[in-house]
Amino acid sequence: MQGAHHFNLYDKEMNNPLVSVIVPIYGVERYISRCAYSLMEQTYSNVEYVFVNDGSTDNSGEILEKFGKEDVRVHVIIKKNGGVSSARNAGIAAAKGTWLYFVDGDDFLLPDSIAKVIPYLDDRYDVVMTGMRTDENKSDSDGLQIAVSSETDLTREFDTIGWFFAIWGMFFKKDIFLQNKLWFDEKLVANEDHAFAITWLMATSRILALKNETYYYNIREGSLSHTIRDPRIEMGVFDYYCRYLDKNLFVITCFYSCKTNLWCKSIYFGG
């Protein structure tokens, strides 16, 4: 664990930006220690960890309090329950870093997950996304890198970087949040990251996709993304796509993909 730590907002010569890791917390006491330890043990040290306790009723809060006492880079925000979008927005507002990185409380990272991405966190890109694994024992694959400079490029690479809808495992330059007033829609109770993808895609096209599988995604029963099965909720996200159909070719591609997905889900739901 770390002792006293002085944050360095940005050192251009060393490419040493402060990264704010934002972790919304609700009902993950079984997993939060693994997540937190994986963050504390990152080989890149110029990091602050913003845990947002979204009114969790289990022991997650007590566990986070322990980590806060052991590492000064840990900041715990306690708020009444408002949903994951509300928690992420609180984390964004509190973050001091020049880059934001989103992690879910039931997931975890490899020790060098952040360090691998640091060379790319510069003025060339506004968003850097990484690959993920669902199996801890799966071998690493440092694969293709895709630099995206326009909507057309992104459309062409749609099938290759299709994981962009998920917010976790993505690094965002904080300036694009501030300049474009990007926030998560707190009215959405599920698939909020899908809707948010549309807003940030409209804000920038300077995107780098790395296929380094540095993020471990935990597929678990009972998580919000695996329990919400209401087509009406899905349609709330669908509305986001419809709003931007005439503005961006890439969004049109997303629209048709999403529409097909919704149709399949409606059958699955019995709708």
Side-chain angles (χ1 to χ4, degrees), residues 189-208:
V189 299
N191 292 330
E192 74 295 328
D193 45 358
H194 289 215
F196 184 71
I198 292 301
T199 60
W200 72 255
L201 281 165
M202 295 300 296
T204 184
S205 60
R206 300 198 307 164
I207 304 162
L208 177 67

Side-chain angles (χ1 to χ4, degrees), residues 89-232:
N89 285 340
I92 294 168
K96 298 180 178 65
T98 54
W99 286 85
L100 309 179
Y101 183 51
F102 293 94
V103 175
D104 283 353
D106 52 353
D107 300 334
F108 64 101
L109 307 179
L110 292 172
D112 61 350
S113 290
I114 296 177
K116 279 187 173 182
V117 183
I118 291 301
Y120 306 100
L121 301 187
D122 54 33
D123 293 337
R124 293 173 296 171
Y125 308 110
D126 292 324
V127 180
V128 177
M129 54 182 103
T130 66
M132 65 90 174
R133 316 178 190 189
T134 57
D135 181 357
E136 183 176 353
N137 297 317
K138 183 178 178 181
S139 61
D140 192 11
S141 64
D142 293 327
L144 179 64
Q145 298 176 7
I146 304 169
V148 180
S149 58
S150 70
E151 291 84 352
T152 303
D153 290 337
L154 192 54
T155 304
R156 186 175 63 246
E157 304 294 353
F158 174 73
D159 291 335
T160 309
I161 58 173
W163 70 86
F164 72 88
F165 280 123
I167 197 69
W168 36 258
M170 301 183 70
F171 294 78
F172 291 88
K173 190 174 290 181
K174 190 177 182 182
D175 281 351
I176 71 166
F177 282 79
L178 301 178
Q179 294 168 3
N180 298 280
K181 298 180 180 179
L182 297 183
W183 300 97
F184 289 89
D185 190 334
E186 298 182 13
K187 298 188 296 294
L188 296 176
V189 299
N191 292 330
E192 74 295 328
D193 45 358
H194 289 215
F196 184 71
I198 292 301
T199 60
W200 72 255
L201 281 165
M202 295 300 296
T204 184
S205 60
R206 300 198 307 164
I207 304 162
L208 177 67
L210 303 172
K211 279 202 166 180
N212 298 347
E213 297 172 342
T214 56
Y215 188 100
Y216 282 108
Y217 175 63
N218 182 25
I219 300 177
R220 64 182 178 92
E221 294 296 326
S223 65
L224 186 63
S225 61
H226 291 89
T227 54
I228 295 295
R229 290 293 182 269
D230 187 341
R232 291 170 298 179

